Amino acid sequence: QVQLVESGGGLVQAGGSLRLSCAASRSIDSINTMSWYRQAPGKQRELVAQVTSGGTTNYAYSVKARFTISKDNAENTLNLQMNSLKPEDTAVYYCNAIIQSRKGWDVWENAYWGQGTQVTVSS
């Protein structure tokens, strides 16, 4: 129901900033939850930040004071502003969307993923 395309990854020195974007193929107002995940080599994929259609946000403790998740409804994009980057932030970052469908008493969810974008923070 939606395609996600990420951009904005790259190389940056510690203390620098990057802005990641996730372009969705449909109105993001219709997406229940959008999130950024990341996965470092040899590590499990972890939730970085998420925002619901109602505007509720949630951050991993390690990034709460440094990252900001936001939505641009006009452009149908999900953004992640990353400031004060640390080498520990190095990972592939993935955009995720969860769309909940309802019909009568039935409820189901579908999850979609972007291809990922590499973020490398040098010391």
Side-chain angles (χ1 to χ4, degrees):
Q1 292 184 359
V2 63
Q3 289 76 49
L4 305 171
V5 180
E6 297 137 317
S7 62
L11 305 175
V12 64
Q13 291 192 39
S17 299
L18 283 174
R19 184 176 178 86
L20 305 183
S21 295
C22 171
S25 63
R26 63 183 287 175
S27 173
I28 59 175
D29 288 337
S30 65
I31 300 175
N32 297 94
T33 303
M34 300 197 74
S35 306
W36 287 99
Y37 286 77
R38 68 185 182 187
Q39 187 168 23
K43 304 293 184 180
Q44 288 189 329
R45 188 172 299 185
E46 65 174 342
L47 177 67
V48 177
Q50 67 180 159
V51 59
T52 70
S53 59
T56 301
T57 58
N58 185 52
Y59 296 90
Y61 177 81
S62 61
V63 308
K64 189 173 183 178
R66 301 180 294 119
F67 292 8
T68 302
I69 189 170
S70 63
K71 294 188 290 185
D72 187 332
N73 293 315
E75 298 293 330
N76 289 331
T77 58
L78 176 74
N79 300 308
L80 184 68
Q81 179 66 47
M82 305 186 294
N83 298 324
S84 301
L85 283 163
K86 305 175 180 179
E88 308 92 86
D89 297 318
T90 296
V92 177
Y93 285 70
Y94 298 90
C95 181
N96 169 265
I98 295 176
I99 300 177
Q100 187 179 81
S101 299
R102 285 196 281 253
K103 186 175 183 179
W105 292 90
D106 296 325
V107 180
W108 66 96
E109 293 182 342
N110 289 308
Y112 304 88
W113 294 91
Q115 81 288 348
T117 184
Q118 177 71 48
V119 172
T120 302
V121 184
S122 64
S123 59

